Structure formats: structure tokens, C-alpha cells
Amino acid sequence: MRRWGTRLRSWWKTLSGARRLNTEMDDEMQFHLDCYRRDLIARGLSETEATAQAQREFGSAQFHKEDCREALGLRLLGELWADLRYGLRMMRHDRALTVAAVASLALGIGANTAMFSVAKTVIFDSLRVKHPEELRLLGWDFPGREQPVPFLWGNAPGSTNGNFTAASFSYIGYKRIAEKRDVIDGLAALNLAHRLPVSVGSASAEMAFTQLVSGNYFDVLGVSAARGRTLRSSDEIVGAPAVTVISDQFWSKRFGRSPSALGSILRVSGKPVTIVGIAAENFRGTHMDETPSLFMPLTLQPQVDASFDGSQLDNMGTWWLQLLVRTKPSVSDARLRAELNPILKIIARETLPQLKPDKAQRFDLLILPGSRGEDLLQRRLARPTYILWALSALVLLLACTNVANLLLARGVTRQRELAIRLALGASRGRLIRQMLAEGGLLAGTAAAIGLAAAYLLHSLMPAFLSGQLPTTFDWQVCTFTLTIALATTLFFGLAPAAQNPAGVSNLASTSRMTASRRKLNLRRALVAAQVAFAALLLVAGGLFSRTLFGLLEANLGVDTEHLLLVNTNFSENRFPGEKRVEAQRRLGEQLSHLPGVRAAAVGRDAIGSGNDFTHQLQRRPEGRKWSVRENTVDLGFFEAAGIPLLRGRAFTKQDTATSPRVVVINERLARLVFPGEDPIGQKFSGGTEVIGICADSRLGDLRDDAPVALYDPFTQVKFWGDEVFYVRTTGSPENATAAVRKVFRDFDRDLPIMSIRSQRQVVADSLTQERLFAVLAGAFAVLSLLLGCVGVYGVTQFSVVRRTAEIGIRMALGAQRHTVVAAVLREGLVLVAVGLALGIGATMAASRFIAAMLYGVQPTDALTMGAAGATLLIAALLALWQPAWRAANISPLDALRHE
Amino acid sequence: MPKPVDLLQGTLEMLILKAVSLGPQHGYGVLLRINQISGERLDIQQGSLYPALYRLEHQGWIQSEWGESENNRRAKFYSLTPAGRKRLGQETAAWNRMTEVIASVLAATPEEV
């Protein structure tokens, strides 16, 4: 061990003073020579004779210095340095090749790095809290497809194996489970973060992302406050002072990081709340997606959160909280589940009276991983991320094969050089080292450029994916890049070296033929692979583009041209009960009086909102139940939205809270529930009467067809949440935006405008992911086409050059030019055809992975594949043009002279 | 002069260590010293000296210092380090053991086999 220490010191000494070392070695050996010379003279030789003999017997000083350097362990370093310098010279010499190789590699590496940084956030990263691997999310499942609790808030993990699965609990349930201190280190409850109107000082309210949490939330996560304090259990008592902890980003944005933020008072939904702390800077909440700006105790829910109807703290039927458990290290998941499951069953039995006791027993607790918190991101984005990553990996493979091909092409000239070096005594290992150094130089340059490109790209990516994605670009990403660079280096270093079997020591050109035949076949295989990759990417690009266009042009069922949508929220606190409908109507009237506005009305849901409001219907008690979509609307809605009313009537002022309950249904519902009958005048159980039928239109998600839907009036339905004002304009909706804003401001300063967009814009915005895919896949497709063409061109050119003599002889013997051209084209097209077949085959195999992301096209769509194939063939023909032309113009005399 | 003995590989370093152990010496001097101690029966290849010296220094058995030679010329002097001294002892013991074993094998008479 100690010897390594001395060796390292010795290395350091020599490295840091290379020139000094050289001089010293010279001095020392000169001294030696002088001494020996003196001794020889003393023995009787003349001066010249002594010098000659001394020199002869000592040998070459240069040689000894080399040996000395090797003794010092410097040889490897020296050779590496020489290799790199040589590699740089070769790169400068072959500028075109270098630029092409580095550019294509950089693109491949850059794309993959960018995708990796996204994948890290979406799939791999954990919460930035203490020991995230100790956290668990509690869930449950219940047999059957129906929701067993009256109100469920939160994103369900989805129903697995036919059961209904969810991860939400009631407040009472949370309290009961939290009592189990023996197996739980800590239990934090949180609700689904959403936007609430928050005003700072006298400024008007803006919507901020907030989350209600239990008092021990920060303790359980192990997150401290940067300033002030975090929430405490004592904050989570009904009647305690209203306090909040704000996030670091909110502090920066709204308070400019001023210390006066602590202790100042915010108004959340109009209610005053005091800021008692600012969370640590790197804390991003448990919502992998976006960081909540405000954290407030659960007990504030009745006052600040109008999303619910009154206080949910005592409501046993509302299961609205997610529970994050920090386990004790000694407690296994199985034990945790075994201990908590009985409690869940008791809770179900005691707090869900509508369930029969034996049914309540069938609630089953699930322990889900909590290291990524509520992890909505992964569910939503995992598949798209993987697909994009696969596409960019393909691009990288394409680039690699391209560069390998280019290097192999250059290898023909290098063969002589390598043969000479082998003849001069270089070992194969030495040559391989040089190849690796050159490959490393290429890959290293490409990686550096790729990293820079990825850094620029990653600021664009989040905008596409979800608008708020905090993709990280840290050392792990850089390590990933370096790993890819290393892998490609090895690929290039070893591939050409493998082409030099047993050291070609024969310098004669006859060996060139056989060796280059093998090379040609390898290159042909590479190009076929390239064409296959290109085919895959072309098909993918085509499919995604068609999906995007399909969605953009989809018939939505409403007139989308002249519609402006304004999202707002009349909070329950400020507009309770009747006052709300009054205020909505007043505002609607003011809007409709604007010049350029034909009609204005309010509704609850809009196209592209992603919402899913449902309503249960029965024609008779104990009869069949239907679950239909519901949109709550007010007077003039159908006119404003542009949904034609086919029969009957819409709502009027006469439909009030006390008058008979009425609804308007759409065509699909009419056909479904009243087949063959006239629905007008019919009643559902509960007495609701159908008064009109309207045309089908889409709602919520763009990809789904128009749902079975009914419309009910605001006056007769109790609801909470946001509203959407439909403003139908005569001209372009964008022109009316400023005027609409002014009307809102004049109506009520504190009424927040969450968004104000034209219907076209809403549709476009909801398609950001599709746009990203279409753009990226399209770009990759174009790139792959280019690279594929270069590959086909290169290999055909090589083949023609190789066979120059043969072609010349054939032409001298009478072959026609067009025969030669045909032969060249045939050779190239066969290659492309093989590659195409492989590529299409691969596409069919991989198609099911992207099926879920497509719209309006099947993954095995023949038209797209046909178009891709045709494009490739045309491009290949263009690439083959030059080599064919060259072949046709070979003069037999020149060919025979050509060696 | 009696026929010079061919040097086995690896023994050169051992000899250098021994030569240097007798006192700090520059490269040429080491050569002379070995020649002298062996009674002029060992003639070292001049070329292999310096690589061996550098190797020994790299491994820490000897250390070097620039000083003045007997005729006031600048020269690099090598001396033994404590680790080198230990190494010399180990090498010497190993060498002696080996020669003893080989000698006994070579001295075997037909009766002993």
C-alpha cells in the first residue's frame, strides 16, 4: 500500500515537471558519458577514440530516456497523449467527415440527455425529504366497479383487477389511523392541492396553488423552515389562529424575498391567514408536479376552501385526504398492512351507514410506495416519456451506425498505415488503444456539444410537457451523458479494430480486395440497419402528426370559431346561495351588452377542461341506473355555446330553486334512455322532467367522443367549484379579451380570472403533448432520413469505387451505360428494401406500445407505412443518383489504370 | 580477465541496491563500484543502468539528490532509503536460499537419487 503512495508521488513529480525531468536526464547521462570518456582517455585512448567508444558502448541516450520514462510509468501517458494529438490531426484532415460524425453524434447524445433529465423527474426521482424510501402512501380497494363512498377526492391509482381502488380517506378515518403509534413513526394527511384565490396586501386576488395539510406534515417529512417555523400539531385545532407556511418560490415571486413576509397577512378566499414560516428552499412539496405555494392546516378547510360544500372535518362521507406514513424501520409493509387493515374496516363500518356491514368488511388496505409522494406525474407521463426516450435512443443508434460507417470508409486508407505500423513492431493492443483514443476524441467532442444542446433543450421541454415540470440538470444527468459517450467510444474503437484480423502484415494490394469485401458487407449491414431505424422513425413521425391533426380538426360539436372562454370562481364565502346565481346573471348580462358580443352565459364545464362531472340517473326507483356526464348551466347557455337546441326548450327565469326540477338532455342520452320514445315531458325518478333535447357535443376530454350528457340549471343544483363564462363574439374572440377583462374588473375587483382563452386556444393548449410528439417525432424522422441517405450514398459510392476496374472491363467488353446504372441502382435499392422490411416489421411489433397515444389512426395504419416506405425509396434514389452517374461514366481506360 | 558472468534478470536491481547501500553514489560511480566489488568479473551493460535506477527510485527503494562530484561537477547522487535497506535484506536472503537449493540439486550424486 505504501508503495503506491511513493509511486503516486513519483508520478506527480514527473508530471508536474516534465521539461525539468527531461533536462535532468540529459544532464545525468551527459555526466556519465564524460566520466567514462575521461576514464578511457586515462587508459590511453585518444580523445576522439574515447568519445566514439563511450558513445558506442552507452548506446542511444534517447532510447535510454524512453526506457527511463517507461520505468517511471509514464509511457502509457505519453502514448495516450501522442494518440490524442494524432487523432486531432486526423480529424482536422478529414474535416467533412469529422463535422458530419460529431454533428450526428451530438444530436443523438443531446436528445438522449434531455430525455433522461425528463425521465428522472417523471419516473425516477424521489421527494426531496428526509429518507423518502421510508414513506408509504395508504390506499384501499373495494370489490366492484362502483365507488363505495359518497364523495371521493383525489386521483385514484386506477382500478386494478376489477376492484375499485383509491388512496383517499375521511378526516375521521385519518384521525383513527393516526392513533396507531406502535407501527407508525408519523402520519401526515394532505388533500389534493388545487388553486384558491389568494391576495397579498391590497392587490387583487390571484389563483395560487395551495394545499391543506395536517399539523405534523413537515415533521413527518423531515422538512424544516428556512425562516420562521413550520406547522405544528397545535395549528390543526378548530378555532386555532389561521396560519400558513409559504413555499420559497412563492416568497420570491410575491414578496421579493423580503423578510417582512413573515408575520404578514394573506387573504385566502377572502379570509385572513398569517404567514408563520417559509419552507426550506429545496422543498418541492409532495406533489412531484408543481410545488404548492401555500400550506395550511386542515382545520382551515371550512373557511378557505370553497371547493367543498361546508366543513368536511365532520363529514364522514367525504374521503378527501391522502395519507403519507413514515414507517418505523423495524416494521415491514406486511405488518403495517396487517395492523392497519382492521382499523380501516372499522372506519368503513362505522362511518358509511349506507353500506351493509358485510360489505363494509370488504374494504382492503393497500400499502403503496410513497417515495414519490402522491406521484400523479408518473401515472400521467410515464408512457409518453418512455416512448420519447425510445425514439431518441433510436436516433442515437442511427447516429452511431452512421459514424461507424464513415469511419469504416476512412479505414480503407488507414489500412496501409496500420499495416506499416504493425510491420514496424506495434502491437495490436497499441493499435486498438489508438483507435479507442480517436473514438474517444470524437465521442468526447460530441458529448460536450450534446450536453450543451441538451441544456438548451431542457428549458424548452417542460413547456411542452406540462408547463410546470421542474426538470433537473444535475450531475446525474452529466454522468449519464458521459456513460453514453463512453459506450459509443468503445463501439467505434473496437468496430474498426475488429476489422483488422490478425494484423494485416501484407502490404501488397491484393489483400485489399478480400479485406475490403468483408468491410463492404459490414457496411451494407450497417446501412440496412440505418434504413430500418429510419423507417421506424418515419412511421412514428407520421402517426403522431396524423394524431395531432386529427385532434385539431376534430368536430367538437360546438362552433369553435367565435367563442371566448373565461374561467372564474364565485366563492361560496362571498356569494352564498342565491346571491351566486344573481351575480352570475348580472355579469352575464353585462358581458352580452359589450359591442362585438352576441351572447354570454355561464356553465360549469367546458371542452378541453379535462373534468369529469357525472350524474346518476334512474327512470324509476329500483330501475336501471345510468351514469351520465353533467354540465350545470344557466340562461342563454345553448345560444352562447353554439349547441343547437333540437326540440323543446332551454331554461328560463321561471326555472327556479322552488319550481319543478328540469333538465335538457343530448341526443345520445335520448337514444340511450328513451329509445323509440319522445323524451320531452318524461320524468326521471325524483321528479325531474326532460324539457329539451340538444345536439351532441364534446366535453372535458378532446379524445373522447361526445358523451351521453345532460344539462341542469344552476338554480336547481347545489354545486361548488369554478365556472366558465361562454362569450360568443361576432368577430375574432381575441379582440374581445380586453373588454371582457374590464367588465370583470368593474363588476368585482376580487373576482379572479383564472384564464381567458378562445375555444381554439383551449383546444390547442390541451394538445401540447400531442404537439410535442408530432414535432419531435417529425424532426427525428427528417434527421433519420438524412442520415439514412448519407449512409446509402456512402456505401454505394464505396462499392462503385471498389469495382471500378471490373466496371471498366465490362464496359470495354460492350456493356451499355444503362445496364451499369441499373446494376448500381439495383444494388442500392435491394439494400433499402431489406432495411425497409426490417423497419416495418419492427414497427408492427412495437406498435402496441404507442397505440394508447394515437387518435384517429391505428398503429399499423397502412397509409402511413406506405408513405414512409415511399419517402425512403425516393430519398434513396436521390442518394443513389451520384454513384450511378459516376459508374456510368467510368472510362474503361482509366478504370484499368486505376488501382 | 576471467570470463564475465552473464547477469540474470532482476539481479541488476539487487546489485544496485547493494552498491548504493555502501554509500551515496552517482550512476557512473555505481557502475564502477559493482565492477570493483565483483573483482572485475561483472560488466554491466551501460544502457540498462539508468532505467534500473529510475525504476528503483520510482518504487521508493532509493532516493536521489543533486550534488557535486569529486571534480566539482553537478551529478545526481543516489542513496538507500530505509525501505530500500529492508528490501535489500529480503532480496539477499531470498537469493541465498535459492542458490542453496539449486546448488544442492546440482550436487546430487547418482546414489542419492
Side-chain angles (χ1 to χ4, degrees):
Chain A
M1 204 61 228
R2 186 152 48 106
R3 284 177 55 200
W4 276 106
T6 31
R7 280 196 208 174
L8 280 170
R9 271 202 299 280
S10 163
W11 269 328
W12 177 246
K13 210 164 62 133
T14 41
L15 281 175
S16 55
R19 206 166 305 182
R20 182 182 49 83
L21 183 76
N22 204 34
T23 335
E24 278 187 3
M25 276 201 264
D26 283 335
D27 286 345
E28 194 175 4
M29 295 195 195
Q30 192 56 47
F31 173 77
H32 183 113
L33 270 173
D34 290 340
C35 287
Y36 191 40
R37 202 162 44 90
R38 259 186 322 117
D39 283 351
L40 282 175
I41 291 173
R43 274 192 233 157
L45 272 76
S46 75
E47 198 162 316
T48 36
E49 279 176 347
T51 317
Q53 182 167 344
Q55 192 66 52
R56 204 176 42 241
E57 289 191 24
F58 189 66
S60 154
Q62 205 49 35
F63 206 67
H64 298 321
K65 282 206 299 192
E66 273 300 317
D67 281 341
C68 288
R69 282 211 200 92
E70 181 170 4
L72 286 172
L74 283 183
R75 178 126 172 218
L76 230 75
L77 229 72
E79 283 175 353
L80 185 65
W81 185 238
D83 284 342
L84 285 175
R85 285 221 311 276
Y86 188 71
L88 268 172
R89 225 177 22 243
M90 295 294 308
M91 280 172 79
R92 254 209 306 274
H93 187 255
D94 242 328
R95 237 173 285 242
L97 176 139
T98 311
V99 167
V102 169
S104 44
L105 264 184
L107 230 99
I109 295 181
N112 272 274
T113 308
M115 279 320 302
F116 177 73
S117 69
V118 170
K120 226 162 75 70
T121 312
V122 171
I123 300 167
F124 303 129
D125 264 350
S126 311
L127 293 177
R128 296 188 194 191
V129 298
K130 190 173 76 167
H131 291 298
E133 69 280 0
E134 285 174 8
L135 294 174
R136 301 285 183 275
L137 193 66
L138 293 182
W140 48 265
D141 70 17
F142 188 81
R145 312 276 298 271
E146 277 186 32
Q147 179 177 309
V149 299
F151 286 111
L152 198 66
W153 272 72
N155 281 305
S159 76
T160 46
N161 59 2
N163 286 349
F164 186 92
T165 322
S168 307
F169 296 80
S170 60
Y171 188 74
I172 290 159
Y174 144 63
K175 283 284 184 201
R176 290 269 190 94
I177 295 179
E179 284 167 10
K180 225 21 184 113
R181 297 316 305 271
D182 54 347
V183 286
I184 295 177
D185 195 35
L187 177 79
L190 37 128
N191 81 334
L192 191 68
H194 54 283
R195 294 189 191 278
L196 291 176
V198 174
S199 53
V200 179
S202 55
S204 56
E206 280 176 27
M207 300 304 280
F209 208 50
T210 66
Q211 192 163 38
L212 294 170
V213 299
S214 55
N216 61 355
Y217 174 76
F218 290 97
D219 289 335
V220 170
L221 292 178
V223 174
S224 55
R227 281 175 188 254
R229 64 169 179 90
T230 57
L231 293 179
R232 295 191 286 248
S233 306
S234 55
D235 295 320
E236 196 196 327
I237 299 179
V238 178
V243 296
T244 177
V245 171
I246 61 176
S247 72
D248 186 85
Q249 295 90 322
F250 188 72
W251 184 40
S252 290
K253 208 165 71 128
R254 295 287 211 100
F255 291 92
R257 304 187 84 82
S258 144
S260 64
L262 264 188
S264 61
I265 299 190
L266 300 171
R267 300 185 88 82
V268 182
S269 302
K271 286 284 186 303
V273 181
T274 317
I275 299 178
V276 291
I278 300 167
E281 186 176 342
N282 67 342
F283 180 57
R284 298 265 186 268
T286 45
H287 212 267
M288 284 323 279
D289 195 342
E290 198 182 336
T291 314
S293 301
L294 263 72
F295 297 91
M296 291 179 286
L298 291 169
T299 40
L300 282 186
Q301 179 269 324
Q303 294 148 312
V304 304
D305 201 343
S307 326
F308 301 93
D309 178 22
S311 165
Q312 303 306 311
L313 302 173
D314 305 313
N315 192 335
M316 301 189 295
T318 307
W319 291 39
W320 59 298
L321 297 173
Q322 275 77 57
L323 302 184
L324 264 180
V325 170
R326 185 178 285 283
T327 52
K328 292 203 163 125
S330 54
V331 176
S332 69
D333 279 3
R335 178 160 163 226
L336 188 66
R337 185 160 168 269
E339 301 255 358
L340 295 181
N341 212 352
I343 304 181
L344 173 64
K345 295 186 200 285
I346 295 173
I347 293 171
R349 205 172 52 235
E350 290 182 9
T351 66
L352 296 174
Q354 63 270 39
L355 279 181
K356 301 208 221 332
D358 63 320
K359 277 238 142 155
Q361 196 58 21
R362 300 182 65 192
F363 271 85
D364 208 21
L365 191 73
L366 300 170
I367 310 284
L368 307 162
S371 60
R372 289 178 54 85
E374 307 160 62
D375 200 10
L376 312 164
L377 211 62
Q378 183 171 74
R379 281 193 274 278
R380 199 156 43 96
L381 294 178
R383 181 182 288 256
T385 305
Y386 275 131
I387 291 177
L388 264 185
W389 207 2
L391 289 180
S392 48
L394 272 179
V395 171
L396 182 65
L397 272 174
L398 201 63
C400 283
T401 45
N402 210 40
V403 178
N405 234 337
L406 292 172
L407 286 179
L408 277 176
R410 204 178 57 182
V412 172
T413 28
R414 309 257 347 241
Q415 204 155 345
R416 279 188 87 87
E417 168 212 331
L418 292 174
I420 292 173
R421 291 181 76 170
L422 279 170
L424 282 177
S427 66
R428 278 197 72 200
R430 180 80 185 79
L431 290 181
I432 289 181
R433 246 192 293 144
Q434 190 193 328
M435 296 293 180
L436 281 173
E438 287 179 30
L441 208 55
L442 257 178
T445 321
I449 301 178
L451 203 63
Y455 186 71
L456 289 170
L457 211 74
H458 109 285
S459 40
L460 296 173
M461 280 281 211
F464 281 124
L465 274 180
S466 90
Q468 296 272 7
L469 205 62
T471 53
T472 46
F473 208 86
D474 53 17
W475 64 270
Q476 284 169 319
V477 175
C478 292
T479 313
F480 177 75
T481 314
L482 287 173
T483 315
I484 307 186
L486 208 69
T488 51
T489 303
L490 287 172
F491 183 73
F492 298 136
L494 299 178
Q499 276 291 293
N500 260 322
V504 180
S505 51
N506 190 352
L507 294 179
S509 52
T510 46
S511 60
R512 192 148 54 100
M513 281 306 189
T514 44
S516 52
R517 152 92 52 89
R518 277 181 68 172
K519 250 200 187 137
L520 182 64
N521 284 337
L522 179 66
R523 292 191 68 193
R524 282 217 185 105
L526 282 175
V527 170
Q530 274 187 295
V531 172
F533 293 149
L536 253 171
L537 286 170
L538 275 170
V539 173
L543 286 175
F544 286 127
S545 299
R546 286 187 66 180
T547 300
L548 178 66
F549 287 127
L551 283 169
L552 278 175
E553 302 300 317
N555 183 8
L556 301 174
V558 295
D559 177 359
T560 55
E561 282 309 312
H562 303 282
L563 194 56
L564 192 66
L565 295 170
V566 189
N567 283 59
T568 182
N569 183 296
F570 286 82
S571 67
E572 185 73 8
N573 305 323
R574 302 183 53 232
F575 302 94
E578 303 262 316
K579 293 232 166 69
R580 179 194 223 148
V581 179
E582 260 181 61
Q584 286 172 350
R585 287 192 181 164
R586 254 199 345 268
L587 183 53
E589 240 173 285
Q590 286 184 17
L591 285 171
S592 54
H593 286 144
L594 277 176
V597 173
R598 254 218 301 269
V602 69
R604 190 181 180 201
D605 200 2
I607 298 176
S609 65
N611 285 332
D612 188 357
F613 301 123
T614 53
H615 186 95
Q616 317 283 76
L617 270 190
Q618 272 178 308
R619 282 185 72 175
R620 284 167 297 277
E622 307 310 323
R624 179 168 165 187
K625 267 201 213 161
W626 281 280
S627 185
V628 303
R629 290 292 288 273
E630 177 193 20
N631 196 2
T632 314
V633 303
D634 203 20
L635 315 174
F637 171 77
F638 297 96
E639 209 191 316
I643 302 177
L645 193 66
L646 301 171
R647 295 187 50 212
R649 66 170 182 89
F651 308 118
T652 63
K653 288 214 173 98
Q654 273 69 47
D655 301 308
T656 61
T658 46
S659 66
R661 305 180 71 85
V662 289
V663 289
V664 173
I665 62 177
N666 74 353
E667 280 185 289
R668 275 196 74 184
L669 200 157
R671 277 199 299 274
L672 183 70
V673 178
F674 304 100
E677 307 166 50
D678 180 9
I680 310 264
Q682 302 263 14
K683 297 207 177 150
F684 295 114
S685 72
T688 316
E689 184 183 337
V690 177
I691 54 165
I693 307 178
C694 66
D696 292 333
S697 76
R698 299 196 189 204
L699 213 57
D701 197 337
L702 266 172
R703 282 171 181 251
D704 301 331
D705 290 330
V708 175
L710 65 71
Y711 299 83
D712 38 30
F714 269 112
T715 43
Q716 295 182 346
V717 168
K718 208 164 183 351
F719 92 102
W720 45 91
D722 302 341
E723 294 94 351
V724 181
F725 273 88
Y726 287 66
V727 180
R728 183 151 294 277
T729 60
T730 44
S732 141
E734 284 79 10
N735 294 343
T737 312
V740 168
R741 270 196 201 277
K742 186 165 183 311
V743 169
F744 266 78
R745 233 187 354 255
D746 293 342
F747 180 80
D748 186 320
R749 264 200 89 88
D750 282 327
L751 195 64
I753 298 184
M754 273 106 77
S755 71
I756 175 165
R757 296 176 288 178
S758 69
Q759 178 73 77
R760 275 231 154 248
Q761 216 174 328
V762 170
V763 169
D765 288 348
S766 71
L767 295 177
T768 41
Q769 190 178 102
E770 281 77 5
R771 250 212 311 280
L772 171 73
F773 269 79
V775 166
L776 277 181
F780 287 162
V782 170
L783 186 72
S784 66
L785 202 63
L786 274 170
L787 289 174
C789 281
V790 170
V792 170
Y793 169 81
V795 88
T796 315
Q797 180 82 307
F798 179 74
S799 166
V800 164
V801 166
R802 189 178 75 95
R803 295 167 63 185
T804 310
E806 173 199 338
I807 297 177
I809 291 174
R810 282 182 193 260
M811 291 187 78
L813 287 176
Q816 298 287 338
R817 282 171 69 166
H818 63 79
T819 323
V820 173
V821 169
V824 172
L825 285 179
R826 201 176 40 240
E827 188 182 327
L829 284 176
V830 161
L831 203 58
V832 171
V834 169
L836 202 59
L838 284 170
I840 301 288
T843 312
M844 307 200 95
S847 62
R848 53 200 177 89
F849 294 116
I850 59 172
M853 299 192 58
L854 301 177
Y855 176 82
V857 279
Q858 290 295 325
T860 49
D861 181 49
L863 180 63
T864 316
M865 293 210 222
T871 317
L872 262 176
L873 281 170
I874 295 175
L877 276 171
L878 283 171
L880 288 170
W881 165 249
Q882 222 272 9
W885 179 249
R886 189 202 168 107
N889 284 333
I890 291 177
S891 114
L893 231 59
D894 285 334
L896 287 169
R897 258 186 255 127
H898 170 99
E899 259 301 270
Chain B
M1 179 177 338
K3 196 166 162 5
V5 178
D6 285 330
L7 218 47
L8 285 174
Q9 213 178 14
T11 51
L12 173 59
E13 298 187 359
M14 205 170 50
L15 295 174
I16 293 177
L17 282 180
K18 180 68 189 176
V20 169
S21 77
L22 300 173
Q25 190 55 265
H26 53 69
Y28 188 68
V30 165
L31 210 58
L32 288 179
R33 203 175 266 175
I34 294 176
N35 194 276
Q36 183 188 40
I37 301 174
S38 72
E40 311 227 343
R41 283 178 297 173
L42 274 182
D43 222 358
I44 315 286
Q45 274 278 28
Q46 300 216 14
S48 45
L49 175 68
Y50 285 98
L53 279 170
Y54 274 69
R55 204 162 24 245
L56 286 170
E57 188 182 3
H58 179 63
Q59 288 176 333
W61 310 135
I62 58 178
Q63 63 202 9
S64 67
E65 209 175 24
W66 282 92
E68 267 190 21
S69 74
E70 51 275 356
N71 47 352
N72 297 330
R73 284 198 57 190
R74 219 171 84 95
K76 203 176 188 187
F77 284 83
Y78 294 91
S79 54
L80 204 62
T81 62
R85 192 170 296 279
K86 206 164 108 184
R87 174 98 176 153
L88 176 61
Q90 288 167 341
E91 290 284 280
T92 314
W95 174 265
N96 289 333
R97 266 200 310 276
M98 187 185 72
T99 47
E100 190 191 319
V101 164
I102 293 189
S104 73
V105 167
L106 291 174
T109 54
E111 298 88 54
E112 291 168 23
V113 171

